[in-house]
């Protein structure tokens, strides 16, 4: 299958050494040029994105495969990693962010003067003891499939084969104490994935029951506010759009782009999902009707706490590109590009573009601009495939894909470039560069 335009996805490097067993997922650090990869060998490996070498191996906390991991956001001076395992437990690991200090001490010890310590040390592995196993969260009855931190870092969501979703609060009291906030059990099958909204305490989940569900807290009680049906198979992955995302606008006027932004601000970030049915779909929340678009406070009701259910509608089904299950998707927070991977070993990159229009949206004299924006459909867009790599990991299935900030020496320092990181059944983790 040919890509729609001249965009290339080229292999930048493998992360070395790879795991000798299946690698499930790779999580980029929110601020440092690091990624953590979890594996069937019961460990998590931390690699540098500067030279693509192994820095640390985290082991000893789990008795079975480590299926998932996620870095805690909004924390300085320390890295905190949550891990979920097939042993039904969730681990919390901590490490002071002193990689460079440790390296300088080694340079002095070994007489190395090169300031680029990572290259000078040839990727020498850090001691496992530098990672502290802080706490084990025990509650699930079966394999933990996904973990996700809220945008504030205060809440951790976990989901399991036991059909439940747990929400834990990090009490941040200096004693590594976590409190169980909620246990949700509405899904009728394994819960495969959870992901927090980029700014709100709103959680999305995907399941073996073919549904996507949206969860919010209402008066100190967490509950389901939407059950999204549309996929014809297991929902393997979910990912949120960035709050400031705008489709490619080369063919759109500034007025059209501004109108889209206003509608997007009311509806909020969209949600992308992928499934065993070989489709990637995008969903959008329906803003309130004109009569209730503005509350007494003058604040749009869509962003005020509400106990009522939300209406989520299908915004798009992306062009068909996979011939087997799609296991993971990643929606770039910087460029708006979306990537998917799956059982067919293929990496696909999509771009959303405005569809050319000859006329501007009309406003009526009887409605305010806010009311028009709340009810009018957003400007039409279309998704195009811009890059495909077949057999990206040879014959092996690809389990996960993630966007990360490029940090190696070959990058263009005048730009904030991104790379794609793919993770596969053979234990390999590959870093890809996308060029236009």
């Amino acid at each position: 299958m040919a890509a729609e335009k001249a965009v290339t996805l080229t292999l930048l490097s493998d992360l070395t050494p790879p795991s000798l067993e299946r690698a499930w997922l790779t999580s980029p650090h929110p601020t440092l040029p690091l990624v953590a990869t979890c594996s069937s060998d019961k460990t998590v490996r931390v690699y540098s994105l500067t030279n693509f070498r192994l820095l640390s191996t985290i082991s000893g906390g789990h008795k079975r495969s480590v299926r998932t991991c996620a870095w805690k956001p909004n924390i300085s001076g320390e890295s905190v990693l949550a891990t979920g395992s097939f042993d039904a437990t969730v681990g919390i690991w901590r490490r002071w962010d002193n990689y460079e200090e440790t390296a300088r001490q080694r340079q002095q010890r070994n007489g190395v003067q090169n300031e680029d310590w990572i290259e000078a040390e040839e990727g020498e592995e850090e001691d496992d003891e530098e990672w502290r196993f802080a706490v084990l969260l025990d509650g699930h009855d079966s394999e933990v499939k996904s973990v996700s931190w809220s945008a504030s870092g205060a809440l951790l969501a976990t989901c399991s084969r036991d059909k439940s979703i747990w929400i834990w609060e990090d009490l941040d009291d200096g004693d590594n104490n976590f409190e169980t906030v909620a246990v949700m059990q509405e899904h009728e099958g394994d819960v495969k994935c959870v992901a927090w909204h980029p700014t709100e305490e709103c959680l999305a989940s995907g399941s073996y029951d073919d549904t996507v569900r949206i969860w919010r807290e209402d008066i100190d009680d967490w509950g389901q506010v939407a059950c999204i049906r549309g996929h014809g198979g297991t929902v393997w992955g979910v990912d949120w759009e960035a709050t400031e995302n705008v489709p490619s606008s080369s063919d759109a006027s500034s007025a059209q782009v501004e109108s889209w932004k206003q509608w997007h601000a009311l509806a909020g970030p969209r949600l992308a999902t992928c499934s065993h049915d070989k489709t990637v779909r995008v969903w959008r929340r329906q803003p309130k009707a004109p009569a209730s678009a503005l509350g007494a406070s003058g604040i749009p009701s869509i962003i005020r706490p509400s106990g009522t259910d939300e209406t989520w509608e299908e915004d798009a089904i992306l062009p068909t590109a996979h011939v087997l299950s799609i296991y993971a998707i990643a929606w770039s927070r910087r460029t708006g590009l979306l990537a998917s991977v799956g059982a067919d070993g293929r990496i696909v990159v999509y771009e959303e573009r405005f569809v050319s229009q000859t006329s501007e949206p009309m406003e009526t004299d009887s409605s305010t601009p806010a009311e028009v924006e709340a009810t009018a459909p957003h400007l039409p867009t279309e998704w195009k495939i811009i890059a495909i790599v077949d057999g990206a990991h040879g014959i092996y299935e690809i389990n996960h894909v993630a966007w990360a900030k490029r940090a190696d020496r070959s990058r263009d320092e005048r730009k904030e470039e991104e790379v794609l990181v793919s993770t596969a059944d053979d234990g390999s983790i590959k870093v890809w560069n996308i060029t236009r």
Side-chain angles (χ1 to χ4, degrees):
M1 184 181 296
E4 198 272 345
K5 61 182 285 190
V7 173
T8 58
L9 196 63
T10 56
L11 180 64
L12 191 59
S13 179
D14 284 76
L15 298 185
T16 57
S19 171
L20 298 178
E21 298 185 36
R22 175 181 293 163
W24 285 108
L25 175 148
T26 299
S27 176
H29 194 285
T31 57
L32 300 174
L34 308 172
V35 295
T37 296
C38 49
S39 169
S40 289
D41 68 4
K42 309 174 190 175
T43 73
V44 175
R45 288 171 167 78
V46 179
Y47 294 91
S48 166
L49 285 180
T50 303
N51 77 338
F52 312 116
R53 295 182 182 274
L54 180 66
L55 293 176
S56 303
T57 300
I58 305 174
S59 61
H62 292 292
K63 298 176 182 177
R64 294 182 61 192
S65 298
V66 182
R67 175 63 179 84
T68 180
C69 63
W71 300 95
K72 182 178 179 178
N74 287 327
I75 186 171
S76 60
E78 186 181 27
S79 289
V80 177
L81 187 69
T83 56
S85 170
F86 282 179
D87 66 11
T89 66
V90 175
I92 305 296
W93 304 81
R94 297 180 180 273
R95 186 193 192 283
W96 302 115
D97 288 336
N98 60 348
Y99 275 106
E100 293 188 14
E101 179 182 350
T102 302
R104 282 194 295 269
Q105 292 172 352
R106 286 182 177 169
Q107 289 175 359
Q108 294 172 359
R109 182 186 68 207
N110 298 330
V112 177
Q113 300 301 320
N114 189 344
E115 290 183 358
D116 189 358
W117 67 271
I118 297 179
E119 291 190 1
E121 294 294 331
E122 294 297 325
E124 182 177 349
E125 187 177 340
E126 298 283 350
D127 295 333
D128 295 352
E129 289 75 13
E130 294 185 3
W131 281 95
R132 310 185 304 282
F133 190 37
V135 65
L136 192 71
L137 303 180
D138 194 0
H140 284 291
D141 294 330
S142 188
E143 302 167 358
V144 176
K145 297 297 183 70
S146 178
V147 298
S148 178
W149 293 95
S150 64
S152 68
L155 300 176
L156 177 68
T158 64
C159 66
S160 168
R161 187 178 178 181
D162 65 12
K163 306 178 185 178
S164 74
I165 299 168
W166 288 54
I167 297 179
W168 316 76
E169 182 180 5
D170 185 352
L171 299 182
D172 198 22
D173 56 3
D175 291 326
N176 296 310
N177 287 321
F178 281 72
E179 180 181 4
T180 304
V181 173
V183 178
M184 288 98 74
Q185 297 177 298
E186 279 80 353
H187 274 296
E188 298 172 1
D190 302 15
V191 188
K192 302 294 187 183
C193 53
V194 285
W196 287 99
H197 187 285
T199 58
E200 302 172 13
E201 288 189 351
C202 170
L203 185 71
S205 60
S207 170
Y208 186 79
D209 65 11
D210 305 351
T211 68
V212 178
R213 300 180 191 240
I214 308 297
W215 313 84
R216 289 183 185 271
E217 185 180 25
D218 183 36
I219 315 178
D220 296 328
D221 187 23
W222 281 84
Q224 176 183 299
V225 296
C227 178
I228 304 172
R229 302 182 186 274
H231 278 297
T234 299
V235 179
W236 285 103
V238 296
D239 198 16
W240 291 91
E241 174 184 30
T243 55
E244 302 298 323
N245 181 48
V246 177
S248 178
S249 56
S250 58
D251 295 328
S253 68
S254 57
Q256 288 175 321
V257 173
E258 186 58 33
S259 177
W260 194 93
K261 288 181 178 179
Q262 292 177 13
W263 185 92
H264 188 262
L266 282 174
R270 294 169 294 172
L271 183 69
T273 60
C274 64
S275 169
H276 177 71
D277 67 12
K278 303 185 281 280
T279 68
V280 176
R281 298 169 189 249
V282 175
W283 311 87
R284 56 183 168 84
R285 182 172 54 176
Q286 180 63 47
K288 302 293 184 181
S292 59
L294 296 176
S297 63
I299 302 174
S301 58
I302 191 69
I303 61 175
R304 287 189 288 109
S306 172
T308 60
D309 288 348
E310 299 175 357
T311 301
W312 285 77
E313 300 176 346
E314 189 174 86
D315 190 65
I317 301 177
L318 273 58
T320 301
H322 290 278
V323 296
L324 295 172
S325 290
I326 305 173
Y327 290 149
I329 48 175
W331 202 334
S332 170
R333 300 289 187 265
R334 189 182 69 85
T335 65
L337 297 179
L338 196 150
S340 62
V341 296
D344 58 8
R346 175 176 289 177
I347 301 176
V348 183
V349 181
Y350 315 81
E351 181 180 56
E352 185 181 23
R353 305 171 187 169
F354 284 112
V355 176
S356 299
Q357 286 189 318
T358 56
S359 61
E360 300 292 335
M362 298 290 291
E363 290 186 13
T364 63
D365 293 337
S366 59
S367 300
T368 66
E371 291 172 339
V372 171
E373 291 296 342
T375 55
H378 66 301
L379 291 173
T381 62
E382 60 182 358
W383 288 87
K384 295 289 187 179
I385 296 170
I386 61 170
I388 293 178
V389 176
D390 286 315
H393 288 254
I395 63 172
Y396 294 96
E397 296 186 354
I398 305 176
N399 295 315
H400 190 257
V401 66
W403 295 97
K405 183 178 178 180
R406 187 171 179 181
D408 62 283
R409 282 196 164 195
S410 299
R411 72 187 186 279
D412 186 344
E413 295 186 0
R414 298 168 298 177
K415 304 175 183 178
E416 189 174 292
E417 298 179 284
E418 277 189 312
V419 291
L420 265 180
V421 184
S422 58
T423 310
D425 264 4
D426 62 347
S428 64
I429 310 101
K430 295 180 181 290
V431 181
W432 304 85
N433 183 40
I434 186 166
T435 56
R436 296 174 178 272

